[in-house]
Amino acid sequence: MTQNRLTIRRPDDWHLHLRDGAMLDAVLPETTRHFGRALIMPNLVPPVVSGDDAKRYRERIVSAVPGDAQFEPLMTLYLTEATQAEDVVAAHRAGLIHAVKLYPAGATTNSDSGVKSMDRVTGVLEQMAEAGVPLCVHGEVTDASIDIFDREAVFIDRVLNPLRERVPKLRVVMEHVTTRDGVQYVLGAGDSMAATITTHHLIINRNHLLVGGIRPHYYCLPIAKREEHRLALREAACSGDQRFFLGTDSAPHLQHLKENACGCAGVFNASNTLSCLAHVFEEEQALDRLEAFASLNGPRFYGLEPNPQSVTLVRQSQAVVYPAEIETSDGPVTVFDPGFDLYWAVH
Ligand code: NCD
Ligand code: ZN
């Protein structure tokens, strides 16, 4: 008998870009409709670097939450070579921030203030390890001689593994893991290590991006890889292993900045992520593990309780219709197109 109903704890999104101003107003309802909490990425311009910045950004998000929604933004700080360990630890102790984000300088959208030399941040990382502050990493090297499709695997060898040997007590999340290499590294690393997986990397490979015309709305960083890597991500997400959990990496950019001679990196998937995930987990005969991936494993890693509320997914006979784009006062943002009809509706 095919299952057509699934009730799970209300999910959280452990990697989300909300931006600010008009964009924040437009995209936030797409997340608060389904998610209880989200870990908010700090790559604004200028970035969220201090406890004070995080406090003010949190207030702007809270005031943009639509009236009837219950939503808690979980803040992060952007690690720079000037970050003060005392500020990080105090903000964490106060419950204001839940992680610090490492962007190698130049690795992705708005990462110019990122870290150039890991030696310069080792002191901060040691104090974070002592205080139990997790480090979220954008795991790609930026060396111009390294092929874009190899940047995650090389990051593991050159940066992540040496870092974990140097600061073994540090709790690390490899954000938006996109390769079999990344999955295997996490599996071999024990409980201090976890990884988030995005919605789109479970669905598209690099052919979707490049075959039959370039699809700018599938361009994101880390870039989608070969099919064998997508299959490894599906296996990890659907395994129920507590080290893997959902981070959508929903990253809105105005449509004209993506459909551009030099298009921005980022996929906006907040609107239809849950329907996409139910589709993927059903295909993998793992609907019974969707709750672990979307609602349980993340809070466990971050030392929080799962959300008390629940959501019910219902498999309809008619396709669920999502808007192709979201309007902002500066122009539209294109919603992720999984390339197939979605039948799982969120109630
Ligand atoms: C993100 C963004 O637009 O801020 N882009 C992306 O392609 N994922 C940055 C990031 O998470 O790398
Ligand atoms: Zn991101």
Side-chain angles (χ1 to χ4, degrees):
M1 203 184 80
T2 56
Q3 182 177 351
N4 55 22
R5 216 181 160 81
L6 176 69
T7 298
I8 59 172
R9 291 293 187 116
R10 192 162 186 228
D12 301 308
D13 181 351
W14 296 97
H15 183 130
L16 176 66
H17 300 271
L18 286 177
R19 318 298 190 205
D20 220 335
M23 186 63 95
L24 169 63
D25 289 337
V27 300
L28 185 56
E30 300 303 299
T31 286
T32 63
R33 192 173 298 133
H34 298 156
F35 294 91
R37 296 168 290 198
L39 192 71
I40 310 300
M41 291 299 119
N43 63 332
L44 303 181
V45 186
V48 179
V49 293
S50 68
D52 277 350
D53 292 345
K55 186 162 181 283
R56 281 192 293 266
Y57 185 29
R58 185 178 195 285
E59 285 162 5
R60 297 199 294 281
I61 296 168
V62 168
S63 28
V65 171
D68 50 348
Q70 274 189 34
F71 176 75
E72 191 186 354
L74 306 173
M75 308 311 290
T76 60
L77 293 184
Y78 186 117
L79 182 66
T80 75
E81 293 179 3
T83 296
Q84 299 293 314
E86 305 71 50
D87 185 42
V88 169
V89 172
H92 186 255
R93 212 165 267 158
L96 178 62
I97 64 148
H98 292 264
V100 170
K101 179 75 190 266
L102 164 68
Y103 290 100
T108 187
T109 309
N110 305 337
S111 62
D112 298 346
S113 342
V115 174
K116 295 195 186 72
S117 156
M118 289 302 292
D119 291 342
R120 299 206 194 104
V121 294
T122 307
V124 175
L125 298 180
E126 281 165 348
Q127 294 191 53
M128 283 170 49
E130 279 311 312
V133 186
L135 178 73
C136 295
V137 301
H138 182 108
E140 291 190 289
V141 290
T142 54
D143 182 338
S145 70
I146 305 296
D147 189 277
I148 186 168
F149 292 99
D150 299 333
R151 288 178 172 201
E152 182 171 295
V154 174
F155 180 88
I156 294 169
D157 289 345
R158 284 196 192 167
V159 184
L160 184 57
N161 197 50
L163 164 70
R164 294 191 57 257
E165 282 176 354
R166 210 152 152 186
V167 194
K169 276 171 65 185
L170 186 64
R171 310 189 68 233
V172 181
V173 186
M174 191 166 181
E175 295 295 320
H176 41 50
V177 65
T178 60
T179 57
R180 182 180 292 282
D181 315 64
V183 166
Q184 280 170 353
Y185 184 77
V186 172
L187 287 173
D191 280 351
S192 62
M193 183 81 216
T196 55
I197 302 178
T198 78
T199 314
H200 44 286
H201 288 109
L202 293 171
I203 294 175
I204 60 165
N205 63 31
R206 65 195 203 177
N207 280 12
H208 295 92
L209 171 69
L210 295 169
V211 173
I214 186 160
R215 312 288 160 118
H217 297 292
Y218 290 157
Y219 175 61
C220 64
L221 291 170
I223 198 159
K225 308 293 193 301
R226 289 176 179 276
E227 177 66 357
E228 64 164 294
H229 297 292
R230 185 185 74 101
L231 296 178
L233 299 176
R234 280 197 169 215
E235 200 182 323
C238 295
S239 68
D241 189 308
Q242 62 192 50
R243 288 167 291 189
F244 297 99
F245 43 87
L246 174 65
T248 66
D249 195 16
S250 186
H253 292 276
L254 294 174
Q255 201 170 72
H256 74 274
L257 297 176
K258 289 202 57 78
E259 297 173 7
N260 190 290
C262 183
C264 300
V267 168
F268 178 70
N269 62 25
S271 311
N272 57 9
T273 273
L274 283 191
S275 296
C276 288
L277 290 178
H279 185 105
V280 167
F281 277 68
E282 181 181 42
E283 279 182 349
E284 299 294 327
Q285 297 176 4
L287 276 174
D288 58 330
R289 309 214 178 113
L290 178 59
E291 184 178 46
F293 180 68
S295 317
L296 304 179
N297 296 348
R300 184 198 307 250
F301 182 86
Y302 281 100
L304 300 169
E305 292 297 318
N307 290 311
Q309 309 89 343
S310 55
V311 296
T312 297
L313 288 145
V314 176
R315 196 186 204 293
Q316 313 180 155
S317 49
Q318 303 283 322
V320 189
V321 182
Y322 283 98
E325 49 193 52
I326 298 296
E327 289 308 324
T328 85
S329 55
D330 297 325
V333 172
T334 302
V335 175
F336 174 60
D337 174 6
F340 43 74
D341 283 340
L342 296 166
Y343 293 95
W344 286 92
V346 187
H347 285 242

